[in-house]
Amino acid sequence: MEYKKNINNYSLSNCYYLGERNTNRFIYKYMNLEVAVMSLTNGTIRFVEPYTWQDKFEGRFYNASYAQVKGATGNTPPVLACCLTHAPVNEAAWKVYSSGEKGLEARCVQFKINMKAFREAVAKSCKGFCLYEGQVNYELDEYQIQHLHQRYTSGGKDNDIYLQFFQDFDLASYLSLLLIKRQAFRHEQELRYFLVPGEDEMELKGSMVPKDIKVQWKDFLVDVKVDEGCSDVEMAILSNALKLQGIAIVPSREYIYATADAPITIEKN
């Protein structure tokens, strides 16, 4: 199996995709209600360095030393990332963004997004960056990930997965490494967008501040759902934020757990 993904061009000069092109029409962004309202009000979407995410495993290949890797010079830049998914129903996401917090942060919102329009909007707005789009790789098990950086196996044989990424190391190798995620998270069906800055910012790795990319949400937002616990007042806050941005979408509640049906009788065979 091939794990390293080649870089391919979209029509926009600063926009690329890794591996096979994702042909989904819609993608989804989950966030808590407070972040959703702020994003709409400010007309932004946030990108951050991967190591800052809650799952610290995400920093494994981002924070690694590539000093011994031939071809690594200039090909392990600082990266800002944003995660979306092509899963329209994701129980885990609804739980993550609607538990353990208070107020608006305790409510989950799902934005349904036109993928092509979103990509174009971000690419046009991120001046000074190149945008890369890639599907997360869940194929490697935890043992393979833990030993991927090692040239040889414990038996002294070639580590074939290592060779895929590091034998001819380039930017595609590096970004492919940043798309690796543990199999326990396969249900997320995550799609990642990376912003890679120019050469002048190569020394900023590990110290880049989050970047809020300016966008017009009305250009690509298709539908909005909230978790079933959202109150009428909270719904009104979100509806008003949408209205103020000229977005004619009425948010609806998502009922993950269907109500119980009346007892059924199995028909005679």
Side-chain angles (χ1 to χ4, degrees):
M1 180 177 291
E2 293 186 3
Y3 300 112
K4 178 181 173 180
K5 303 182 179 185
N6 294 324
I7 294 175
N8 304 284
N9 289 81
Y10 277 119
S11 56
L12 294 170
S13 60
N14 66 330
C15 190
Y16 308 86
Y17 62 97
L18 291 146
E20 292 186 12
R21 181 172 178 171
N22 190 307
T23 58
N24 287 4
R25 184 178 178 188
F26 301 114
I27 52 178
Y28 303 85
K29 179 68 176 173
Y30 291 87
M31 63 196 87
N32 68 52
L33 180 55
E34 181 173 312
V35 171
V37 171
M38 289 178 59
S39 296
L40 290 167
T41 302
N42 297 331
T44 58
I45 186 164
R46 175 159 287 193
F47 285 72
V48 300
E49 284 192 271
Y51 79 91
T52 64
W53 289 332
Q54 185 177 11
D55 181 7
K56 297 309 175 185
F57 203 87
E58 297 286 3
R60 182 174 182 81
F61 297 109
Y62 187 72
N63 293 329
S65 170
Y66 293 83
Q68 299 182 64
V69 179
K70 183 179 179 181
T73 302
N75 283 320
T76 59
V79 166
L80 296 170
C82 181
C83 299
L84 291 92
T85 175
H86 55 80
V89 180
N90 189 330
E91 181 200 27
W94 286 106
K95 284 185 174 181
V96 165
Y97 290 102
S98 60
S99 63
E101 301 292 345
K102 296 180 180 179
L104 299 184
E105 293 184 352
R107 301 302 181 209
C108 180
V109 178
Q110 180 206 69
F111 283 173
K112 182 178 181 179
I113 291 168
N114 180 291
M115 183 177 179
K116 182 175 184 292
F118 170 79
R119 179 199 310 127
E120 292 177 350
V122 174
K124 290 177 181 177
S125 182
C126 62
K127 304 300 183 184
F129 290 83
C130 286
L131 178 67
Y132 295 84
E133 173 190 283
Q135 189 67 45
V136 166
N137 173 12
Y138 302 100
E139 298 305 315
L140 297 173
D141 62 39
E142 195 144 341
Y143 180 87
Q144 290 172 316
I145 296 173
Q146 291 282 5
H147 295 274
L148 194 157
H149 65 289
Q150 296 172 339
R151 173 66 177 79
Y152 298 102
T153 68
S154 58
K157 296 181 179 180
D158 285 336
N159 180 349
D160 292 334
I161 301 176
Y162 170 96
L163 293 176
Q164 272 202 46
F165 286 101
F166 298 106
Q167 190 169 41
D168 297 302
F169 193 85
D170 56 12
L171 181 61
S173 306
Y174 176 65
L175 295 180
S176 295
L177 287 167
L178 300 187
L179 288 173
I180 293 173
K181 196 162 186 176
R182 289 173 292 172
Q183 293 176 348
F185 297 93
R186 186 188 293 270
H187 61 276
E188 293 178 348
Q189 299 180 54
E190 193 176 312
L191 186 70
R192 289 187 177 171
Y193 288 86
F194 298 123
L195 291 180
V196 178
E199 293 183 5
D200 293 342
E201 298 182 271
M202 285 292 184
E203 302 304 318
L204 296 180
K205 192 172 185 177
S207 62
M208 295 190 76
V209 297
K211 186 172 182 63
D212 294 318
I213 299 295
K214 296 292 289 185
V215 293
Q216 293 289 333
W217 283 95
K218 64 181 179 180
D219 291 342
F220 51 80
L221 189 58
V222 177
D223 194 19
V224 178
K225 292 183 178 179
V226 300
D227 69 72
E228 57 189 270
C230 199
S231 70
D232 290 343
V233 171
E234 291 165 334
M235 290 283 280
I237 292 172
L238 179 58
S239 296
N240 188 57
L242 289 163
K243 184 177 180 180
L244 289 174
Q245 300 306 313
I247 301 172
I249 294 175
V250 178
S252 60
R253 291 182 176 87
E254 175 74 4
Y255 294 91
I256 297 296
Y257 305 107
T259 55
D261 292 329
I264 63 172
T265 299
I266 307 300
E267 294 182 354
K268 182 177 180 180
N269 58 17

